[in-house]
Amino acid sequence: MPDLLLRRARVLRLAGPAGSVAEPADILVSDGRIRVIGDASAYATGAEQLDLDGRYILPGLWDRHVHFTQWAISRQRLDLTGAGSAADVVALVAARVAASDEPVVGYGFRDGLWPDRPHRDDLDRVAPHVPVFLAANDLHSGWCNSAALRIAGFAGHPTGLLRETDFMTALRSVPVSAKLDAAVRDAAEAAAARGVVGIVDLEFGANLDTWIQRQTPLLRVECGVYASQLDDAIERGVRTGDVLPETGGLVTMGPLKVITDGSLNTRTAYCHDPYADGGHGELIVPPDELVPLMRRAAAHGIDAAIHAIGDHANRLALDAFAAVGCRGSIEHAQLLAPADVGRFAELGVVASVQPQHAVDDRDVADRYWHGRTHRAFPYRDLLDAGAELVFGSDAPVASLDPWISAAAAVERRDDDRPAWHPEQEITVAEALAASTNRRRSIRVGDFADLVITDDNPLDGRLRGMPVHGTLLSGRWTYAPK
C-alpha cells in the first residue's frame, strides 16, 4: 500500500471539556501508521496526496456495545418501531402475511406505553399458520404467535409474550437470513461511512468463531463472549486484547458479557423501589453466581462487561467488581443510587453507556421510574466523580452511529421538547472523547484509524455530521467522493 499524504488537515484535540482545533498541517501515513504531523513535504516522495482544504480530522470512532448480527439483519426485518399499539403491530403483520407466506420476523416494538397488551391470539387471527416472531426494541422480550411458539419450544404459552431468558432461548429458533453475509457487509459499510473504525460486539452465540469466519476488513472488532462460551475462550488461551491471528489482526478477544437484570421497557430492570405491580424487576444472575463467574474469567485474563440497568442491579455489579478486584465495565448503568456514582472511579470500572437510550426512553422512564429520573442516565455526575465514560449504541436498539450517541449525551433530546434533565448534559469534547476508544487526538506512531469531517464537530452540530472519509490502518474504508 503506497504512502498517503493528507494535506491541510485541522486536527481535533479532545482534551479538557472544550477541546480545541490545531492549525492546518500535513499528515503522512505509511505502513498503516501516522508517521508525520506537520510539514511532511520532505518525506512524501511518491506518496498519494489528498488536499483536505482545512477539513477536520480526529481519531476514528468506536461503538463500544453492539449486537452486530442482530443489527445487520434488523435492517431486513419488518420494521415495528413506529407502532403505537399492539393493534398497529397486528395490522403490519397482516399486511406482510397477505404479501408473502414466508415466516414473519419483525423488530422494534416498544410496548411500555401502549394502551393495549400484546397477545398471541391477536397474531393467530391474522397469521394462523405462518410463524410470527417479533422482537422488542430492547431485545429483552418477544411476541410470538402459536406457530412460532411451537417452533421455539414454548407451545401453549399463555400470552405469547416471552421475556428475558425465555426470549433469549426463543431467539435461537428464528430463521437465519440467507442474505446474512451481504447484510453484514452492508452494515459494516454503513458504519464506515459514519466514521466508525471499531466495535465491541456482544452478539449472542459463538462470537469468536463467527468473526474468524467472517473476517470483515472494514472494522476492528473486539469479540465478547457469554458464560456458555467462557470455557471455549479459556481453552483457546485468549485473553482480553489478544489478537485472533486468523483474522488479519483486526479481531481481538473482548470481555465476558453477563446480563444480570432486564430492561426498563420490559419492566425487568432490577430496582430498589418497586414498579406499579409491586415487583422490583428480575435479577437474572445473582451475586453468588456472578462473583465466581467473574473470578474465573479474571484468572484467565478476561475482563468483565456486566449488564446492569436498575439501581439495585448496578449496586450488586459494583459489589462484584469490589469482591473480585478485576477490570471491566458496567454496561448501561441507566439508574444509579447516589452512593454508587463515585464507586465507578474508586473501583476503576468503566461506565459503558448508550446515550440515545436516554432520549428514546425518557417517557417510559418518567412513567416507571417516576421520581427517580434525576439519577437516570447520569453522565454529568459520573464524569464529575472521575468515572471513565465510553459510548455505544446497543445496536439494533439504537442506530450504529456514534454521532447520534454523542448528540444525545450533549443535548439530552432528539425532538422539539426541552432537554430531559439538562443537568446531566456533557460537552461535545467529552462526548467525542467517549467515542474514540480512549484516543483524545492523533499522534505520531498511532495506527492511522481516522475520520475526516467537512464540518467542525466541536461546533456542536453532531447529528448528520458530514463524514468526508474514514481510514483503517491507512486504508480507505469510506473514501472521499
Side-chain angles (χ1 to χ4, degrees):
M1 184 170 61
D3 292 352
L4 173 64
L5 179 63
L6 302 173
R7 303 190 66 90
R8 295 197 295 164
R10 296 179 185 269
V11 176
L12 263 67
R13 301 182 179 126
L14 303 176
S20 61
V21 181
E23 291 298 317
D26 296 342
I27 299 168
L28 180 65
V29 174
S30 180
D31 295 326
R33 292 184 181 269
I34 298 170
R35 299 303 181 188
V36 178
I37 302 175
D39 183 0
S41 56
Y43 308 94
T45 303
E48 174 189 343
Q49 298 193 23
L50 177 64
D51 187 352
L52 294 182
D53 193 23
R55 289 183 173 87
Y56 301 86
I57 193 163
L58 66 156
L61 306 179
W62 275 69
D63 189 313
R64 300 291 308 178
H65 188 125
V66 175
H67 303 274
F68 198 77
T69 299
Q70 293 298 318
W71 166 242
I73 59 181
S74 73
R75 294 149 58 92
Q76 300 179 336
R77 291 177 170 172
L78 179 62
D79 184 5
L80 309 175
T81 55
S85 66
D88 288 348
V89 170
V90 171
L92 291 170
V93 171
R96 177 61 64 91
V97 171
S100 170
D101 59 0
E102 295 291 319
V104 178
V105 181
Y107 169 76
F109 72 84
R110 295 173 177 267
D111 62 332
L113 300 175
W114 283 357
D116 49 4
R117 304 301 302 152
H119 198 282
R120 68 175 188 181
D121 292 349
D122 297 316
L123 295 177
D124 286 347
R125 278 195 291 273
V126 298
H129 307 296
V130 174
V132 179
F133 187 100
L134 310 177
N137 178 265
D138 60 11
L139 291 177
H140 280 258
S141 65
W143 178 15
C144 301
N145 71 347
S146 294
L149 289 168
R150 285 192 294 272
I151 294 171
F154 292 93
H157 189 278
T159 67
L161 188 64
L162 304 176
R163 299 184 184 277
E164 303 303 340
T165 303
D166 287 348
F167 167 73
M168 301 297 176
T169 299
L171 191 62
R172 302 188 188 103
S173 69
V174 176
V176 176
S177 170
K179 300 178 181 178
L180 177 58
D181 289 344
V184 166
R185 178 77 186 190
D186 287 347
E189 289 176 349
R194 300 304 299 141
V196 177
V197 297
I199 61 171
V200 177
D201 187 24
L202 301 174
E203 185 63 79
F204 314 110
N207 216 16
L208 294 176
D209 287 335
T210 294
W211 281 104
I212 287 171
Q213 296 164 9
R214 188 171 281 168
Q215 296 191 36
T216 300
L218 297 174
L219 300 168
R220 297 191 189 276
V221 181
E222 295 181 16
C223 285
V225 298
Y226 287 76
S228 57
Q229 294 94 43
L230 180 58
D231 285 344
D232 174 61
I234 291 171
E235 289 174 9
R236 293 175 190 241
V238 288
R239 304 164 68 91
T240 297
D242 285 353
V243 173
L244 303 182
E246 307 96 320
T247 63
L250 290 179
V251 182
T252 59
M253 175 63 189
L256 167 70
K257 171 74 181 297
V258 185
I259 300 175
T260 65
D261 74 336
S263 72
L264 168 58
N265 188 71
T266 307
R267 282 82 73 200
T268 48
Y270 191 57
C271 297
H272 291 294
D273 298 301
Y275 294 93
D277 63 2
H280 289 260
E282 185 173 341
L283 185 61
I284 298 169
V285 180
D288 61 351
E289 296 177 21
L290 178 62
V291 169
L293 189 57
M294 291 171 63
R295 186 167 284 134
R296 175 166 167 74
H300 293 87
I302 299 174
D303 294 350
I306 308 303
H307 165 116
I309 287 182
D311 52 2
H312 200 170
N314 274 279
R315 176 163 295 174
L316 294 176
L318 289 165
D319 289 347
F321 275 106
V324 177
C326 63
R327 301 188 312 171
S329 62
I330 288 182
E331 302 295 317
H332 308 304
Q334 289 187 2
L335 186 68
L336 299 178
D340 290 327
V341 172
R343 299 179 70 197
F344 282 80
E346 293 167 7
L347 296 170
V349 176
V350 174
S352 176
V353 299
Q354 298 74 42
Q356 185 61 27
H357 294 358
V359 294
D360 285 342
D361 292 345
R362 62 185 290 178
D363 295 320
V364 72
D366 282 338
R367 173 177 290 189
Y368 295 109
W369 289 345
H370 180 70
R372 290 170 277 169
T373 54
H374 61 284
R375 51 188 178 89
F377 310 92
Y379 306 146
R380 181 77 267 155
D381 288 349
L382 284 163
L383 278 181
D384 287 349
E388 179 182 2
L389 285 185
V390 298
F391 285 175
S393 63
D394 202 11
V397 181
S399 295
L400 203 172
D401 186 338
W403 301 106
I404 291 176
S405 296
V410 171
E411 300 168 0
R412 299 287 290 198
R413 64 178 181 178
D414 64 354
D415 56 25
D416 294 333
R417 292 182 290 176
W420 189 64
H421 291 289
E423 72 277 6
Q424 295 297 341
E425 293 174 357
I426 67 175
T427 70
V428 172
E430 289 168 334
L432 292 175
S435 309
T436 53
N437 206 30
R438 302 178 171 92
R439 296 175 66 194
R440 299 301 178 101
S441 191
I442 66 172
R443 301 175 303 177
V444 171
D446 287 349
F447 280 114
D449 295 353
L450 307 170
V451 55
I452 303 163
T453 63
D454 291 331
D455 298 341
N456 180 2
L458 295 179
D459 286 344
R461 295 183 297 274
L462 297 173
R463 294 182 189 273
M465 174 61 62
V467 172
H468 187 69
T470 308
L471 289 158
L472 183 68
S473 287
R475 174 174 48 84
W476 293 109
T477 54
Y478 177 68
K481 303 302 184 184

